[in-house]
């Protein structure tokens, strides 16, 4: 099943901005070891944020840590993206369950 | 005590082995250039005494001799392939010939041994790229993992106030992978690449815009 990450974001600039969120973009828990899954975007998104505006973005995500509990609560956006392609939740778990070492 | 990963091969050792490999190969190369064809032709003439003689093997032998790569140009893998022929392949018929006091077959075995060590050292170098640290598994517990991971993954971002990170996803994922290998004796702290994370490269991504202050993230919640 998929989940939704809701992002409240403010464009602090005086011009409109295009924002991209790539498939595989990782969102993480606020704290190490919560026992809850971190998540990754299930597809590409592109938004245009009007200048000096606040918007709510909804991103469909899948879980990346199969053995942990369902995701919950507040998250951070990370500078990571899942490197391999995936088409389903199970695909994504399969990728994450096969580390290179 | 966290032991930072030190599997990398001492470069000096690897360089030494590569030089040795090439030096030994040059001896085998010279011998085969000088005597190889002569020996195999002689064998052919004495085919009646050559119990396992066959034309195909004879032609293959000649091809190998004619296409020998000079020591200064050959790769370690090609040296290993040649060594395999000397030890138990097409060139095995020369196994008991001698270079100095040593059988050609033993020169071949020495080449194999050196090549294997070079490969082991290369593997260790590759591992270094994906393991940031390691320590005995008994020293990493649920209770202290957060503290240990925070230290080892300290270079990765974790700014809860700005809703920016990377460290937690990496640490949690690394912990989960360990759970897949409960019998492992060593606990690895893997790099992002090892857990299939790559850093975002594209301009205009949400993380980058929030980090450089063009956008401010007010909240991120999973629902």
């Amino acid at each position: 099943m998929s989940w939704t990450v809701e992002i409240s974001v403010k464009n602090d600039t005086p011009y409109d901005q295009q924002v991209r969120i790539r498939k595989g973009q990782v969102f993480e828990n606020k704290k190490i070891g919560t026992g809850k899954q971190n998540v990754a975007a299930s597809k590409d998104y592109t938004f245009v944020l009007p200048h000096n505006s606040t918007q709510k973005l909804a991103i469909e995500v899948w879980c990346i840590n199969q053995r942990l509990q369902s995701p919950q609560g507040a998250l951070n956006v990370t500078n990571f993206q899942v490197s391999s392609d995936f088409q389903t939740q199970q695909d994504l778990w399969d990728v994450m369950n096969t580390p290179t070492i | 005590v966290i032991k930072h990963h030190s599997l990398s091969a001492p470069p000096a050792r690897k360089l030494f082995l590569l030089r040795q490999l090439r030096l030994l190969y040059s001896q085998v190369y010279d011998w085969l250039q000088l005597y190889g064809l002569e020996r195999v032709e002689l064998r052919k003439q004495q085919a009646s005494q050559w119990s396992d003689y066959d034309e195909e093997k004879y032609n293959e032998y000649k091809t190998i001799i004619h296409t020998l790569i000079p020591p200064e140009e050959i790769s370690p893998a090609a040296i290993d392939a040649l060594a395999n022929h000397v030890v138990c392949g097409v060139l095995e018929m020369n196994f008991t010939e001698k270079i100095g006091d040593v059988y050609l077959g033993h020169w071949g075995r020495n080449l194999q041994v050196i090549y294997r060590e070079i490969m082991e050292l290369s593997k260790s170098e590759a591992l270094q790229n994906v393991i940031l640290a390691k320590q005995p598994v008994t020293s990493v517990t649920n209770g202290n993992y957060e503290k240990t991971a925070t230290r080892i993954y300290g270079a990765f971002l974790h700014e809860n106030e700005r809703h920016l990170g990377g460290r937690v996803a990496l640490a949690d994922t690394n912990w989960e992978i360990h759970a897949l290998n409960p019998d492992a004796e060593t606990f690895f702290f893997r790099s992002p690449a090892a857990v299939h994370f790559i850093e975002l490269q594209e301009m205009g991504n949400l993380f980058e815009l929030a980090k450089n202050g063009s956008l401010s993230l007010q909240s991120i919640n999973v629902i």
Side-chain angles (χ1 to χ4, degrees):
Chain A
M1 85 178 260
S2 65
W3 299 77
T4 300
V5 165
E6 196 176 78
I7 304 167
S8 178
V9 56
K10 182 166 183 277
N11 179 356
D12 294 317
T13 68
Y15 47 86
D16 297 353
Q17 285 208 86
Q18 189 177 67
V19 181
R20 291 196 186 91
I21 296 175
R22 282 293 178 213
K23 181 179 180 181
Q25 162 74 60
V26 175
F27 296 89
E28 68 174 18
N29 296 303
K30 290 281 186 185
K31 190 173 179 298
I32 294 171
T34 58
K36 295 180 173 32
Q37 300 207 50
N38 299 280
V39 297
S42 66
K43 55 190 175 191
D44 290 337
Y45 290 87
T46 302
F47 301 96
V48 175
L49 300 185
H51 60 281
N52 298 314
S53 70
T54 299
Q55 301 275 313
K56 279 202 170 172
L57 314 178
I59 309 296
E60 183 186 75
V61 295
W62 287 329
C63 300
I64 64 174
N65 309 109
Q66 189 170 13
R67 279 152 201 81
L68 305 186
Q69 298 162 26
S70 301
Q72 190 184 23
L75 303 174
N76 292 331
V77 62
T78 74
N79 59 334
F80 293 134
Q81 179 180 8
V82 175
S83 59
S84 302
D85 194 19
F86 52 88
Q87 303 304 325
T88 64
Q89 169 67 84
Q90 191 58 54
D91 271 357
L92 179 54
W93 277 332
D94 289 346
V95 167
M96 300 308 295
N97 286 338
T98 52
T100 61
I101 182 167
Chain B
V1 175
I2 297 164
K3 291 180 182 173
H4 281 277
H5 187 61
S6 59
L7 282 176
S8 73
R13 174 70 181 162
K14 192 172 170 186
L15 279 176
F16 169 76
L17 290 170
L18 286 167
R19 285 194 196 112
Q20 282 294 106
L21 189 74
R22 219 167 280 281
L23 188 65
L24 293 192
Y25 171 74
S26 69
Q27 299 287 314
V28 175
Y29 173 85
D30 288 346
W31 189 93
L32 289 171
Q33 288 279 35
L34 278 173
Y35 304 112
L37 287 176
E38 175 193 305
R39 294 294 202 273
V40 79
E41 292 298 343
L42 188 63
R43 281 291 196 102
K44 189 180 181 185
Q45 289 166 20
Q46 302 166 340
S48 59
Q49 298 164 31
W50 189 358
S51 59
D52 61 345
Y53 175 82
D54 71 65
E55 194 71 13
E56 194 180 334
K57 212 168 178 180
Y58 164 77
N59 288 329
E60 204 179 336
Y61 186 106
K62 286 209 303 186
T63 302
I64 290 174
I65 301 299
H66 285 309
T67 57
L68 280 173
I69 304 170
E72 61 275 13
E73 293 173 17
I74 195 169
S75 70
I79 292 177
D80 184 56
L82 191 279
N84 290 338
H85 274 307
V86 171
V87 173
C88 58
V90 176
L91 305 181
E92 191 182 355
M93 68 180 76
N94 299 128
F95 193 101
T96 54
E97 302 276 3
K98 283 186 171 178
I99 301 176
D101 291 332
V102 180
Y103 290 129
L104 195 62
H106 292 168
W107 284 85
R109 281 186 184 151
N110 286 335
L111 288 171
Q112 289 177 317
V113 168
I114 293 171
Y115 178 74
R116 274 190 216 118
E117 188 176 346
I118 290 169
M119 286 299 97
E120 283 304 309
L121 294 177
S122 299
K123 207 190 306 176
S124 297
E125 286 172 348
L127 286 177
Q128 191 187 27
N129 294 328
V130 293
I131 301 172
L132 301 180
K134 62 176 186 170
Q135 61 187 106
V137 72
T138 49
S139 68
V140 183
T141 64
N142 253 325
N144 70 10
Y145 182 68
E146 180 186 355
K147 191 175 171 187
T148 310
T150 297
R151 185 152 31 125
I152 291 169
Y153 291 138
F156 297 95
L157 195 66
H158 186 227
E159 291 185 19
N160 277 344
E161 300 76 20
R162 297 174 70 200
H163 311 286
L164 298 173
R167 187 188 305 165
V168 174
L170 179 57
D172 280 358
T173 302
N174 187 65
W175 175 262
E176 190 198 18
I177 290 165
H178 174 68
L180 288 167
N181 302 288
D183 299 328
E185 294 179 355
T186 304
F187 194 102
F188 293 134
F189 289 86
R190 295 164 180 81
S191 68
V195 301
H196 302 290
F197 286 168
I198 51 169
E199 289 200 23
L200 297 167
Q201 302 292 333
E202 192 179 43
M203 300 288 284
N205 68 73
L206 179 69
F207 176 89
E208 181 206 16
L209 294 172
K211 190 162 183 271
N212 71 24
S214 299
L215 304 175
S216 51
L217 295 167
Q218 300 184 326
S219 65
I220 305 179
N221 289 289
V222 62
I223 53 176

